[in-house]
Amino acid sequence: MEDKKANQTASDEFSKLLESDSIRIPQVGDIIKGRVVAASKSEVKLDVHGIMMGVVRGPEMYNEVPEFSDLKPGDEVDAAVIDEENESGELELSFRLVGQEKAWKELRQAAKDKSVIKVRIVDANKGGLLSRFRQIEGFLPVSQLAPDNYPRISGGDKSKILEKLKSFVGQDMDVTVMTLNEEDNKIIFSEKDVWNRKQKPALDRYRAGMVVEGRITAVTNFGVFVSFGENIEGLVHISELAWQRIDSPSELYKVGDNLQAEIISIEGAKVFLSAKRLLKDPWLEASAKYKIGQVVEGIILKVNPFGLFVKLDEEIHGLAHISQLNLGAKDKISDLFKANEVKEFEVVSISPNDHRLGLKLAGAFQAETPEAAPEAAKEE
């Protein structure tokens, strides 16, 4: 009889607690605070308000957020209600929903402050790296990789570039948030921005016109990269490697070679260098060496639709425009001329300041000297 009376009294007190202003039954979607009663790798039990129990289990545990990864009895923690009563009569709770909102909040703040966060690389494609912050996925484009991680593959072999990118899967990278569009779920990260910040103090000690010496770290089809100073890297474009025209930087240099160059410009963290500016410009003496009307032997370096690139000596190359080759209406330049052939040419124009020398096939009809075609100017 006394037990029955005691149970009735406890039930009445519990009902009064629920009816009071300070106690409210949690609803699905609510964020509640609970105290950890027990924690294991498979589930966490929470005491909610001292009047009910809740459980977090399986994928809802969300260990990616530090505050959820090492819980101990007595810890207070937030959780989201996903079911008001499970099979055991407990609240079914989720750390994942709370953790994702916290992650979004951190991302918003990082985008606003331009602060550095850490992301995990989970996959790669030809455009860049699929990156994850907590469980929120974003993208790190190839163009936003730090120079140390940029896949400089000679010849631009796409399969080798992808292979290089895939080597980063599983690694953590420090990045900033470049773009954050929650509506479209579009997040773009930048590792290069973090690298630029670290390099700025070192870069501030350099100016255009200074001469530096460093080691070649990469040879590409458009130039060579040189590391100098405190891990600063600069690019010597193919047009700045030598005064004469070259087909590929690999003809002159290989990774590991030392190279001295002059700083042309510094744009942000990009450093542009020139090796040829430290060499005597052979074109300064071109007018003394070659005269208009002079017939010279030349080696055809390249046959293009607009004309022939011709090597007169190791330093001076000229262009014989297609109009100066005496071609017939049905003649094809590629049928009549081949690379490495030696022919006689006549000098028709010299422009040392522009590093250009015009030629015509010796004995050919003198056509009006054409303006350099855009393609020819680009090639030169």
Side-chain angles (χ1 to χ4, degrees):
M1 188 70 176
E2 287 181 3
D3 288 343
K4 185 176 181 181
K5 188 176 180 180
N7 288 339
Q8 183 62 47
T9 301
S11 178
D12 291 344
E13 288 179 356
F14 184 68
S15 297
K16 288 178 182 178
L17 278 172
L18 294 180
E19 291 169 0
S20 68
D21 292 337
S22 60
I23 299 297
R24 173 179 172 274
I25 296 292
Q27 306 293 309
V28 172
D30 286 351
I31 304 297
I32 57 96
K33 189 175 291 292
R35 188 175 297 278
V36 177
V37 175
S40 69
K41 291 183 178 180
S42 58
E43 67 175 28
V44 176
K45 293 275 190 178
L46 298 180
D47 175 14
V48 182
H49 302 316
I51 59 173
M52 61 189 77
M53 293 295 292
V55 63
V56 184
R57 49 190 174 179
E60 302 302 326
M61 291 186 59
Y62 204 74
N63 292 329
E64 286 79 3
V65 176
E67 67 184 87
F68 299 137
S69 62
D70 189 26
L71 292 172
K72 300 178 292 296
D75 290 346
E76 277 198 345
V77 66
D78 291 334
V81 179
I82 57 176
D83 194 343
E84 296 168 23
E85 186 176 7
N86 64 14
E87 71 279 1
S88 302
E90 301 167 319
L91 287 171
E92 193 74 24
L93 303 173
S94 171
F95 291 151
R96 181 178 57 83
L97 296 177
V98 176
Q100 283 189 326
E101 180 51 40
K102 286 178 181 289
W104 275 110
K105 186 176 180 180
E106 286 184 53
L107 282 174
R108 294 183 203 112
Q109 197 64 43
K112 180 181 177 182
D113 300 341
K114 298 295 182 184
S115 55
V116 178
I117 61 173
K118 197 175 290 291
V119 297
R120 172 65 57 90
I121 307 305
V122 295
D123 202 356
N125 59 36
K126 62 182 180 181
L129 303 172
L130 302 178
S131 313
R132 183 176 291 161
F133 179 74
R134 309 290 191 246
Q135 286 293 323
I136 300 174
E137 295 194 347
F139 191 64
L140 175 55
V142 171
S143 62
Q144 292 303 317
L145 286 170
D148 292 344
N149 291 330
Y150 191 89
R152 301 190 191 99
I153 306 298
S154 182
D157 187 318
K158 292 182 179 179
S159 63
K160 289 185 178 179
I161 291 174
L162 184 56
E163 184 180 335
K164 169 71 172 175
L165 293 175
K166 283 187 176 293
S167 71
F168 297 119
V169 173
Q171 296 184 22
D172 292 334
M173 287 187 176
D174 289 332
V175 299
T176 56
V177 182
M178 286 186 65
T179 301
L180 181 62
N181 187 330
E182 291 184 57
E183 192 173 308
D184 296 334
N185 201 31
K186 180 182 179 182
I187 308 170
I188 305 296
F189 298 117
S190 173
E191 185 197 26
K192 185 169 70 173
D193 184 46
V194 179
W195 186 88
N196 288 349
R197 295 184 195 184
K198 291 178 180 177
Q199 290 299 103
K200 190 177 186 309
L203 275 172
D204 286 344
R205 293 195 283 272
Y206 294 91
R207 298 285 184 274
M210 294 176 67
V211 175
V212 298
E213 185 168 355
R215 186 179 67 87
I216 294 177
T217 56
V219 178
T220 71
N221 57 353
F222 56 84
V224 301
F225 288 89
V226 180
S227 177
F228 63 93
E230 299 173 27
N231 200 32
I232 297 172
E233 194 167 59
L235 170 66
V236 185
H237 190 266
I238 187 172
S239 62
E240 293 293 333
L241 284 173
W243 288 108
Q244 72 272 25
R245 177 185 175 278
I246 58 175
D247 285 323
S248 173
S250 60
E251 295 174 5
L252 302 177
Y253 301 103
K254 63 182 183 297
V255 172
D257 286 350
N258 289 327
L259 181 64
Q260 197 173 53
E262 179 182 320
I263 297 175
I264 301 175
S265 65
I266 301 175
E267 300 173 13
K270 295 179 180 179
V271 182
F272 298 96
L273 305 168
S274 173
K276 75 180 186 182
R277 292 193 184 188
L278 301 182
L279 305 173
K280 184 178 179 182
D281 184 355
W283 286 89
L284 297 176
E285 299 175 356
S287 294
K289 196 170 184 179
Y290 298 102
K291 303 293 183 184
I292 293 177
Q294 180 181 352
V295 176
V296 293
E297 271 194 353
I299 301 172
I300 298 173
L301 293 175
K302 193 172 184 180
V303 179
N304 275 328
F306 52 81
L308 308 174
F309 282 103
V310 180
K311 175 182 175 181
L312 301 185
D313 58 46
E314 290 300 324
E315 297 173 321
I316 303 297
H317 298 171
L319 171 69
H321 192 267
I322 190 170
S323 62
Q324 306 283 17
L325 299 176
N326 223 20
L327 296 183
K330 295 183 179 181
D331 290 337
K332 289 185 178 180
I333 188 171
S334 57
D335 292 338
L336 299 179
F337 300 95
K338 302 296 179 185
N340 297 318
E341 284 184 340
V342 177
K343 298 279 186 181
E344 286 194 336
F345 296 90
E346 181 181 331
V347 179
V348 295
S349 64
I350 303 176
S351 181
N353 291 337
D354 296 327
H355 297 151
R356 291 180 185 172
L357 184 147
L359 301 166
K360 78 179 184 73
L361 191 65
F365 173 74
Q366 175 66 58
E368 183 180 346
T369 304
E371 291 293 325
E375 296 88 351
K378 184 178 178 182
E379 284 278 353
E380 286 189 284

